[in-house]
Amino acid sequence: MEQLDVRSASSVQPDPRAPTTAETSWFCCGAAWGPCGSAGGGACGNCRSGSMHCAWPNTSDACFAITRPDRCGDSLLRRTCGHTFFVRNLCQSNEIAVRIADCGPQTDLWCGERSCCSGNCATNRLLDLTPAAYSRIGNLSSGIMPVAIHS
C-alpha cells in the first residue's frame, strides 16, 4: 500500500507506514448540496460538494505556490487529481476514502493551529473535505477536526 509522506522540518523521520495526523476542514465545490450553493468544479474540474472529494495542498506547482505547507514545516508529496486518501477522525473510529478534486487548503494561513479531542491532537490543516465527506466522519458545525490520513 502506498503511504503518505508528510515530514516536519524539525522532527525525526516518521515511519512511512504510519498514518499522518493533521487537521481537516470542509469546503464547498460544484453543484449546490447541503450547506453549499453552486460553486466551481475545483482545480480538477469535477469537484462536487455531495461527493467524497477532498482538496490537497500539493496537487501542482501552481497549487503549492498558493498553499505553501512548507511554511508550516510540512513537506508533502505531490498528489494529483483522482488520488485516493483514507481519512479517519481521531475522535471516533470512522474512516472514509476520498479522492482529490481540488487544490487546498491554504495551509500557511493556519501554521501551528491545533485541534484536539479526548487527548488526540493534530496540527496544521493539510486536507479539506467536501461537506458530504466531512459529515460522514464528523459534524459540519465543528468546522475543523483532527484526523489521521494515509494513502
Side-chain angles (χ1 to χ4, degrees):
M1 174 169 61
E2 182 182 6
Q3 295 298 310
L4 175 68
D5 183 10
V6 177
R7 298 182 185 137
S8 173
S10 62
S11 69
V12 175
Q13 178 80 17
D15 181 341
R17 296 168 292 170
T20 297
T21 59
E23 289 184 315
T24 190
S25 52
W26 61 273
F27 74 111
C28 296
C29 63
W33 185 88
C36 299
S38 293
C44 303
N46 66 339
C47 192
R48 300 290 175 263
S49 295
S51 296
M52 301 299 282
H53 289 158
C54 69
W56 179 245
N58 192 9
T59 59
S60 66
D61 287 341
C63 177
F64 187 84
I66 295 167
T67 62
R68 297 303 304 264
D70 59 316
R71 290 182 178 158
C72 299
D74 294 312
S75 173
L76 306 178
L77 285 177
R78 173 74 40 92
R79 297 291 185 223
T80 58
C81 298
H83 180 83
T84 299
F85 287 118
F86 298 92
V87 183
R88 182 177 51 84
N89 181 341
L90 291 178
C91 308
Q92 305 169 9
S93 59
N94 302 348
E95 183 173 276
I96 57 170
V98 293
R99 292 180 43 194
I100 295 175
D102 203 355
C103 165
Q106 190 169 347
T107 303
D108 67 343
L109 295 180
W110 300 287
C111 290
E113 179 183 69
R114 181 178 164 127
S115 60
C116 301
C117 61
S118 305
N120 297 311
C121 299
T123 304
N124 297 343
R125 290 188 201 181
L126 297 182
L127 195 67
D128 269 345
L129 300 174
T130 57
Y134 194 100
S135 64
R136 291 280 297 270
I137 61 171
N139 187 328
L140 290 175
S141 66
S142 68
I144 59 171
M145 74 174 117
V147 293
I149 307 165
H150 65 95
S151 289

